[in-house]
Amino acid sequence: MSYEVIKSITQYQGKFLSVKEDTIILPDGKTASREVVQRGAATAILPIDKQGNVILVRQYRHAVGQMLLEVPAGLLEEGENPADCAKRELEEETGYKTNALEFVCQMYPTPGFCMEQLYLYFAEELEEGKQNFDEDEFIEVEKYTIKQALTMIEEGKIKDAKTILLLYGYAVKKRT
């Protein structure tokens, strides 16, 4: 099937995302409008310490008006390799660093309206590093067993999709 873009207008340009409105031709020849959030690629990392605990970060997410428990994550800088970004974000947000990253997958978290791509990783063999928050970041670092984290998903205490995916993925990996 073909979906040709015949017109594209940027409706909003922000600091780290933009919104465009595309007019497309549908397979039946009719036209339709689609709004697309344009945002750069990002990484998300599930850190696992030597005792098998997962390290998560709690931070305020304004879009949902809540403090959410999540894996460390962040946007790739211009020309940055996803693995390098993952290592950088891991240390900046948790104070841990690693050279033992395991690539899990590349995914689209919300492809219905956003073109963002996420590169997901497991991080083991953690070493002490140094936290370095962004000026507007206030992060709490928390450790849980994988069992505790999975229970928190079931109880609705962990709601972030990338975090849920990485936690379930790690649980499956440990069973195999």
Side-chain angles (χ1 to χ4, degrees), residues 22-50:
D22 289 345
T23 303
I24 61 173
I25 299 176
L26 302 171
D28 65 3
K30 296 178 183 174
T31 61
S33 177
R34 298 287 189 266
E35 295 169 336
V36 178
V37 175
Q38 295 180 293
R39 179 177 150 105
T43 61
I45 314 95
L46 178 64
I48 303 104
D49 71 12
K50 291 177 177 129

Side-chain angles (χ1 to χ4, degrees), residues 94-150:
T94 68
Y96 289 99
K97 55 186 179 177
T98 188
N99 285 318
L101 274 184
E102 179 184 345
F103 178 73
V104 176
C105 68
Q106 180 181 353
M107 64 171 282
Y108 298 110
T110 51
F113 66 90
C114 185
M115 49 71 67
E116 177 186 34
Q117 295 180 60
L118 276 179
Y119 296 86
L120 304 181
Y121 295 89
F122 297 138
E124 297 183 291
E125 298 177 27
L126 304 178
E127 300 174 10
E128 290 291 323
K130 186 176 188 308
Q131 284 179 309
N132 184 24
F133 300 141
D134 291 340
E135 190 176 282
D136 62 349
E137 257 181 338
F138 300 89
I139 294 174
E140 300 167 15
V141 178
E142 302 178 17
K143 289 185 183 184
Y144 298 94
T145 65
I146 189 68
K147 184 175 180 175
Q148 288 172 318
L150 295 175

Side-chain angles (χ1 to χ4, degrees), residues 41-75:
T43 61
I45 314 95
L46 178 64
I48 303 104
D49 71 12
K50 291 177 177 129
Q51 293 74 40
N53 296 310
V54 295
I55 298 168
L56 303 175
V57 295
R58 189 177 300 276
Q59 59 186 324
Y60 179 70
R61 294 300 191 185
H62 186 72
V64 294
Q66 296 179 34
M67 295 288 288
L68 294 183
L69 195 55
E70 307 175 14
V71 293
L75 293 172

